Amino acid sequence: MGLFSRRTFGAAAVGVLSGSLLTGPGAGTASAAEAGGGDGRYRRRPQLRGMWVATVANIDWPTRPGLAAAEQRGQLLAHLDTAVERRLNTVFLQVRPTADALWPSPYEPWAQYLTGTQGEDPGWDPLGFAVCEAHRRGLELHAWFNPYRVANHDDPGRLADSHPARRRPEWVVAYGGKLYYNPGLPEVRAFVQDAMFDAVERYDIDGVHWDDYFYPYPVAGEVFDDDEAYERYGGAFADRADWRRDNIDRLVRETALRLRRTKPRVRFGISPFAVWRNAGTDPEGSDTRAGVETYDDLYADTRKWVRERWVDHIVPQVYWNIGFAAADYAKLVPWWADVVRGTGVELHIGEALYKAGDPAQGPAWHDPAELSRHLTLCGRHPEVRGNVYFSAKHVAADPIGAMSRVVEDHYDRPVRAPR
């Protein structure tokens, strides 16, 4: 993403497009200005307006580890207040960044991004506080979990003594200089669900949210070592790729079913890398030339999850500008609209606000109106029911006035999140 974010933090994680490294979560009614075009159905329906608050590597919050609890609370409140000021209605807070927790979990240690030491009690409950204060402001709070990432380094000795990955080293695979839980182990799949559902059951969250990490993004010259698990569990599959996809499908399906049994009002959403498959690989894929395809490289059949209605909403990270040759925003949004049509699954588009004004980006990202044009295009597709901006610090900083332009052109009044 051109900065430490949930994608660049995963090795050369975004992949390559045509040889270039990709970079890159009060009530009223939606108005005509909000719709930015499109038919009346879009204008009348409430839109999700969200932002991701990333805690991994202290991207958004807290700004650095080791701050006093009062200062951490103040920074978090500032993000929530910014969301209200920008007339957003949903905050996606990363609460399980690296197989650790931003609440007092009985399964995993406290996240290191609070105190600087994994497992050290920060003296307060960030998730409980965030839920209360978000709801006080009329915002929804979706808890953002990363199922399989264990550490952004490959040294188990640096993990907290209590970390499950130290107690169960056979669960862990080192790959690309990082540590991951092995998705091919049924006991891992059960454990990560238990760890996440502790938060679901204890807090009044509005959603369970995952990002784009399933099997890790490919690293040239390295192999994800799951031979033993494949030999033990993969016999019914034609090849390892099908087995890996089934492992991720099972996690998605089981989570969806468990959530509907546990708290059916809590929505389940996933924010994948936006390219399922290129049309050059599969005629049903998008008119793109991405170097990463979620189906083939992350073993994440994102289209299937929508068609099977395992998710309540999907938030593809369409982090490119209109007209970008290898992955055109104007081609990906209609493709995703077609995927969700008739399924009942809501489509929200992930927006690369962080690219606005970035010197490393092309001319489109130096035009303050680029993101506003994205919403205008979305308004022509009634299946699109909102947009989510990466990330919170950029929503506040408003690089080149891009966020202000979105608000001026499309968010003329507050709206509640769609239900």
Side-chain angles (χ1 to χ4, degrees):
M1 287 183 177
L3 48 85
F4 264 156
S5 69
R6 41 187 188 144
R7 183 161 300 125
T8 55
F9 212 79
V14 285
V16 176
L17 286 178
S18 298
S20 300
L21 182 67
L22 287 179
T23 53
T29 57
S31 67
E34 173 197 351
D39 65 21
R41 288 179 297 164
Y42 185 93
R43 288 194 288 269
R44 286 195 299 269
R45 294 159 69 195
Q47 300 295 296
L48 187 144
R49 306 169 179 177
M51 71 179 188
W52 284 288
V53 180
T55 60
V56 66
N58 299 99
I59 291 172
D60 290 314
W61 175 83
T63 54
R64 61 179 176 84
L67 297 175
E71 190 168 359
Q72 291 182 0
R73 286 193 291 268
Q75 289 183 357
L76 185 54
L77 290 178
H79 283 306
L80 299 179
D81 288 341
T82 295
V84 173
E85 291 165 7
R86 302 292 189 195
R87 300 183 185 136
L88 306 183
N89 54 31
T90 306
V91 171
F92 297 85
L93 176 64
Q94 190 175 34
V95 299
R96 187 178 182 267
T98 50
D100 47 19
L102 272 78
W103 76 94
S105 168
Y107 294 94
E108 296 176 310
W110 282 103
Q112 67 188 39
Y113 307 112
L114 296 170
T115 65
T117 302
Q118 190 176 61
E120 182 176 329
D121 189 337
W124 66 296
D125 181 353
L127 177 54
F129 179 82
V131 169
C132 178
E133 293 297 332
H135 289 171
R136 192 191 306 275
R137 289 162 173 76
L139 299 167
E140 287 201 354
L141 196 290
H142 292 228
W144 166 15
F145 305 89
N146 186 285
Y148 290 124
R149 182 173 56 202
V150 172
N152 288 308
H153 58 76
D154 60 3
D155 180 5
R158 291 171 56 186
L159 301 173
D161 291 343
S162 62
H163 201 294
R166 293 193 71 170
R167 299 197 306 266
R168 302 297 300 269
E170 70 276 12
W171 287 3
V172 179
V173 177
Y175 178 78
K178 307 185 190 309
L179 298 175
Y180 300 90
Y181 283 133
N182 186 345
L185 299 176
E187 57 268 37
V188 165
R189 191 169 68 247
F191 172 78
V192 298
Q193 289 181 65
D194 287 343
M196 292 184 288
F197 272 86
D198 180 65
V200 173
E201 292 165 3
R202 294 171 61 181
Y203 297 95
D204 187 25
I205 61 174
D206 299 290
V208 168
H209 186 75
W210 296 349
D211 56 15
D212 51 329
Y213 288 106
F214 299 100
Y215 280 87
Y217 281 85
V219 176
E222 296 202 28
V223 175
F224 189 83
D225 184 8
D226 56 1
D227 288 353
E228 184 176 342
Y230 179 52
E231 182 176 353
R232 185 173 181 183
Y233 298 109
F237 296 89
D239 57 31
R240 191 180 306 231
D242 284 347
W243 171 71
R244 286 178 172 176
R245 275 186 289 273
D246 183 70
N247 293 330
I248 303 303
D249 283 350
R250 285 173 182 266
L251 181 72
V252 176
R253 183 175 64 249
E254 290 170 6
T255 299
L257 291 173
R258 183 169 173 177
L259 189 59
R260 288 161 191 170
R261 287 195 307 265
T262 305
K263 281 190 178 179
R265 73 162 196 82
V266 174
R267 302 171 73 209
F268 183 27
I270 299 178
S271 175
F273 182 78
V275 177
W276 171 72
R277 300 187 97 183
N278 297 316
T281 304
D282 185 325
E284 295 191 7
S286 52
D287 183 12
T288 51
R289 294 180 297 282
V292 169
E293 300 163 276
T294 63
Y295 182 92
D296 302 279
D297 296 305
L298 308 183
Y299 307 98
D301 192 350
T302 54
R303 189 182 69 159
K304 179 180 180 179
W305 306 340
V306 172
R307 291 184 165 185
E308 296 291 339
R309 305 183 185 188
W310 293 339
V311 293
D312 297 303
H313 64 126
I314 192 88
V315 193
Q317 297 174 24
V318 190
Y319 284 178
W320 306 288
N321 57 278
I322 296 171
F324 184 59
D328 188 344
Y329 186 98
K331 293 179 178 179
L332 277 162
V333 168
W335 186 88
W336 277 103
D338 184 64
V339 169
V340 305
R341 188 173 299 121
T343 65
V345 174
E346 293 181 2
L347 174 62
H348 309 123
I349 302 299
E351 301 287 348
L353 175 61
Y354 71 93
K355 286 187 174 180
D358 183 347
Q361 302 299 325
W365 292 105
H366 296 271
D367 181 349
E370 174 67 23
L371 281 181
S372 179
R373 284 193 288 268
H374 289 194
L375 271 69
T376 298
L377 187 151
C378 288
R380 301 185 186 120
H381 300 276
E383 296 82 8
V384 180
R385 295 196 61 189
N387 305 77
V388 186
Y389 303 93
F390 193 87
S391 62
K393 68 181 179 183
H394 302 285
V395 172
D398 191 21
I400 66 171
M403 192 69 209
S404 290
R405 182 67 179 266
V406 165
V407 174
E408 179 182 354
D409 292 349
H410 302 280
Y411 298 164
D412 67 334
R413 68 187 69 179
V415 296
R416 289 196 183 278
R419 274 284 160 183

